[in-house]
Amino acid sequence: SDLVEVSAATAQVETESTQRGELIAGTEMTSLPLNGRDYTELMALQPGVAVSSVAAPGGGGRGEGTVSISGARESANGFMVNGGNVQDPMSQGTNIVPNLDSIAEFRILTNNFDAEYGHYSGGVVNVVTKSGSNKFHGDAFEFVRNTGLDARNYFATERNDFRQNQFGGVFG
């Protein structure tokens, strides 16, 4: 007279595409602390992505977004904004870094991409900006970094004083 009923939710498996990658939405980008409010700093959160320590050709520092994806060279990656190629031919990173508040999402494809990305053998980073509307909208922000929550260096006798305020806004 006992009844045993087993139920389970369906597995969330991508059956439409073979691409593997991570989607990072706009709310995640603005919630995480970023040095300089640059979305390329979030690329290292994806498994298989290693930040390059090699300086960009022609002097200067590391180019924006120069990372190794799935073990490939930095020059094997592709960068797109709204589907258009924005790869920097000198630093092998990205030419365009949109304002963080204008990005709706970005996706890093690590392998098995569709044929439309056939030019790249490393990874593909595709940034999608927010679309417009018939109404005005905007944001104002202030990001504060200071010594209030910083620890001192283990070998230092005192903590260095640091204050950084980043003010900004977006209107569209």
Side-chain angles (χ1 to χ4, degrees):
S1 66
D2 291 336
L3 176 65
V4 176
E5 187 175 329
V6 178
S7 64
T10 59
Q12 298 294 322
V13 177
E14 176 68 53
T15 59
E16 301 290 323
S17 173
T18 61
Q19 301 182 123
R20 289 188 53 207
E22 182 71 27
L23 179 75
I24 299 176
T27 54
E28 294 171 331
M29 285 185 280
T30 55
S31 300
L32 293 170
L34 288 174
N35 191 10
R37 300 191 32 84
D38 181 358
Y39 84 92
T40 60
E41 299 292 326
L42 293 173
M43 292 170 52
L45 295 176
Q46 167 78 18
V49 176
V51 178
S52 173
S53 60
V54 179
R62 182 176 59 83
E64 294 292 333
T66 52
V67 295
S68 172
I69 299 177
S70 298
R73 293 177 181 237
E74 292 85 359
S75 59
N77 301 327
F79 290 89
M80 298 180 180
V81 173
N82 293 332
N85 186 2
V86 294
Q87 185 169 0
D88 184 4
M90 292 298 292
S91 71
Q92 305 304 323
T94 178
N95 264 335
I96 298 174
V97 180
N99 183 332
L100 201 61
D101 294 301
S102 69
I103 299 174
E105 64 187 26
F106 77 94
R107 184 169 190 185
I108 304 172
L109 300 175
T110 55
N111 58 15
N112 295 341
F113 356 105
D114 293 338
E116 66 182 300
Y117 307 117
H119 178 73
Y120 308 106
S121 62
V124 176
V125 179
N126 194 3
V127 177
V128 178
T129 58
K130 293 178 181 175
S131 59
S133 67
N134 290 332
K135 296 182 180 180
F136 291 109
H137 57 281
D139 290 321
F141 58 83
E142 175 189 10
F143 290 93
V144 178
R145 293 177 61 198
N146 58 33
T147 54
L149 297 174
D150 291 347
R152 71 172 172 81
N153 185 330
Y154 180 77
F155 298 104
T157 57
E158 61 184 38
R159 185 172 54 180
N160 292 335
D161 198 27
F162 179 75
R163 289 186 181 89
Q164 179 181 3
N165 295 56
Q166 288 181 293
F167 300 96
V170 180
F171 182 75

